[in-house]
Amino acid sequence: MIRIVLAEDQAMVLGAIAALLDMEPDLTIVGRAADGAAALDLVRALAPDILLTDIEMPHLTGLDVALALADQRLATRTVIVTTFARPGYLARARAAGVRGYLLKDTPVEQLAAAIRVVAAGGTFIPAELAASAWEASVDPLTPRERDALRLAEEGLSNKEIARRLDLSPGTVRNYLSDAAGKLGAGNRIEAGRIARANGWL
Amino acid sequence: MIRIVLAEDQAMVLGAIAALLDMEPDLTIVGRAADGAAALDLVRALAPDILLTDIEMPHLTGLDVALALADQRLATRTVIVTTFARPGYLARARAAGVRGYLLKDTPVEQLAAAIRVVAAGGTFIPAELAASAWEASVDPLTPRERDALRLAEEGLSNKEIARRLDLSPGTVRNYLSDAAGKLGAGNRIEAGRIARANGWL
DNA sequence: CGATGCGAGTGACGTTTGTCATGGGCAACC
DNA sequence: GGTTGCCCATGACAAACGTCACTCGCATCG
């Protein structure tokens, strides 16, 4: 019997997937979490075989949780189920020791299959995704550039960003200009979109 | 027996919810669609009691489909299930004659309940949502301002937006400035975020 | 028929961004 | 111990953006 903890912030999706997996004779849902922090607690308390988790959740992302599990050398193996095919997400997932990664776009049938493969010690990453991650370049941004971009995305001016990051406005301008240059963008908005699409923010 | 067509672009969520609803003795899924256009075709072909649909989908949004059904006076009643609590979405849904609206955040149990209520001729809209829609202001943007804002969001310059909309750059500047003024934003980025959060784009 | 509102445009002005050169401090890595 | 890369900063210039005032055509509505 494969014991699973499920983490997903949309209650309806959480419930639907749980119901679906519980119908499989060899799978059992031992815990459900609506955010990353709760998921981490549950995994520590229950030591399931598999953590099946979304990425974008409150408090801690699924990637954060996977990283924490790897750091603490817990035996639970992580399978990511996410909406986004962002290459950076996949790269970070692999770096966090994630063994399974699939999109919510894929048919439900593959979900149980992925869980069984990973539980048995294997790896489950769709070929298209693996390929896109391979050809994807690595994040060219420095931490401060990322900080500035995140705030710029929200429509803050250089002056406001400078205040938040405790920098001079000129430095912020430079960071954003550098970031746009690295990303091949013509301005901060485009730079933000590109960085986000790649999973770098 | 309540006959349902389900529209949802994420295959896994589609499959999971379909499986869940099919377990209910009085509900039956007669068709599934992965985008709005397919959903509309299916409803026309099958004349189900209920169309259960997401909003954000390729080709046609769930709101577009609901509007088309209302225009053609089809008997099928629409229930919206979406990630977003944007007041503008709810307002447009009501205008399109939608009788049920719920968030993917709500527990699965409410889904079947909502479907039964709407199938019986009732209305199902959570109190919190109805309240937020009530206090929400109406979309203050003109169609051209919306056009300009959508392109500005993508990082296009005034010149590029002007070319796409076949306007002069000065006019585009004015539209975006007007839009920002109406929305209380300090620049185009913030204006875009506010408009999107309200469901006006 | 006049008022209103929207689309479209111009010109001007100041502010904000984007770009570039250049410099210093600091940590990491041969 | 030098080189490299990141962080932080400044100054200067050009380009893009935000704001305001004002005009025109046109459709719709009272």
Side-chain angles (χ1 to χ4, degrees):
Chain A
M1 199 65 143
I2 300 175
R3 299 171 64 248
I4 302 169
V5 163
L6 222 182
E8 158 68 56
D9 61 336
Q10 297 190 330
M12 193 169 292
V13 178
L14 175 65
I17 291 183
L20 199 78
L21 292 180
D22 249 345
M23 291 168 53
E24 303 286 330
D26 59 332
L27 306 181
T28 175
I29 305 288
V30 296
R32 307 175 179 199
D35 66 81
L40 192 50
D41 289 346
L42 266 184
V43 169
R44 280 203 269 249
L46 303 175
D49 302 302
I50 294 285
L51 166 66
L52 181 66
T53 181
D54 194 0
I55 290 187
E56 303 203 342
M57 292 184 296
H59 304 311
L60 286 177
T61 70
L63 293 174
D64 294 334
V65 176
L67 203 56
L69 297 185
D71 276 352
Q72 296 168 27
R73 312 207 171 287
L74 296 183
T76 297
R77 298 193 174 108
T78 307
V79 175
I80 301 266
V81 193
T82 177
T83 307
F84 307 104
R86 299 176 180 162
Y89 278 2
L90 220 192
R92 282 196 268 161
R94 300 212 61 157
V98 168
R99 309 290 284 282
Y101 190 106
L102 56 172
L103 298 181
K104 289 185 182 171
D105 263 341
T106 60
V108 268
E109 292 75 30
Q110 292 208 29
L111 183 56
I115 290 172
R116 291 191 187 102
V117 167
V118 173
T123 307
F124 192 101
I125 292 171
E128 330 85 74
L129 281 188
S132 80
W134 194 250
E135 73 189 29
S137 39
V138 284
D139 183 352
L141 302 174
T142 68
R144 299 302 268 175
E145 286 166 357
R146 258 191 301 279
D147 294 340
L149 251 190
R150 265 190 284 256
L151 294 174
E153 264 196 313
E154 294 174 21
L156 301 192
S157 68
N158 288 329
K159 212 188 304 175
E160 293 167 317
I161 296 171
R163 202 158 27 222
R164 296 258 197 119
L165 297 183
D166 206 25
L167 293 175
S168 92
T171 303
V172 172
R173 270 211 315 277
N174 286 341
Y175 283 165
L176 292 176
S177 178
D178 285 351
K182 289 176 184 176
L183 301 177
N187 56 49
R188 58 185 62 200
I189 310 178
E190 212 186 331
R193 288 175 65 87
I194 293 172
R196 192 155 288 283
N198 278 284
W200 293 332
L201 290 183
Chain B
M1 198 66 145
I2 300 174
R3 299 171 66 247
I4 302 169
V5 163
L6 222 181
E8 158 69 55
D9 61 336
Q10 296 190 330
M12 192 170 294
V13 177
L14 175 65
I17 291 183
L20 199 79
L21 291 180
D22 250 345
M23 289 167 55
E24 302 286 330
D26 58 333
L27 307 181
T28 174
I29 306 289
V30 296
R32 307 174 179 200
D35 66 81
L40 191 52
D41 289 345
L42 266 185
V43 169
R44 281 202 268 247
L46 303 176
D49 302 302
I50 294 286
L51 166 67
L52 181 65
T53 181
D54 194 1
I55 289 187
E56 304 203 342
M57 292 185 296
H59 305 311
L60 286 178
T61 70
L63 293 174
D64 295 332
V65 176
L67 203 57
L69 297 185
D71 276 353
Q72 296 168 29
R73 312 207 170 289
L74 297 183
T76 297
R77 299 193 174 109
T78 307
V79 174
I80 300 266
V81 193
T82 178
T83 307
F84 308 103
R86 298 173 181 164
Y89 278 2
L90 219 192
R92 281 196 269 161
R94 300 211 61 156
V98 168
R99 310 289 283 282
Y101 190 107
L102 55 174
L103 298 180
K104 289 185 182 170
D105 263 342
T106 59
V108 267
E109 293 75 30
Q110 292 208 27
L111 183 57
I115 290 172
R116 291 191 187 102
V117 167
V118 173
T123 308
F124 192 100
I125 292 171
E128 331 84 76
L129 281 188
S132 81
W134 193 250
E135 74 189 30
S137 39
V138 284
D139 182 353
L141 302 175
T142 69
R144 298 303 268 174
E145 285 167 358
R146 256 192 300 281
D147 294 340
L149 211 46
R150 264 190 284 258
L151 294 173
E153 265 196 313
E154 294 174 21
L156 301 192
S157 67
N158 288 329
K159 211 187 306 175
E160 293 167 317
I161 296 171
R163 203 158 28 223
R164 296 258 199 119
L165 297 182
D166 207 25
L167 293 175
S168 93
T171 303
V172 171
R173 268 212 315 278
N174 284 342
Y175 283 163
L176 292 176
S177 178
D178 286 350
K182 290 176 184 175
L183 301 177
N187 56 48
R188 58 185 61 201
I189 311 177
E190 211 186 333
R193 288 174 64 87
I194 293 172
R196 192 155 288 283
N198 278 285
W200 295 333
L201 291 183

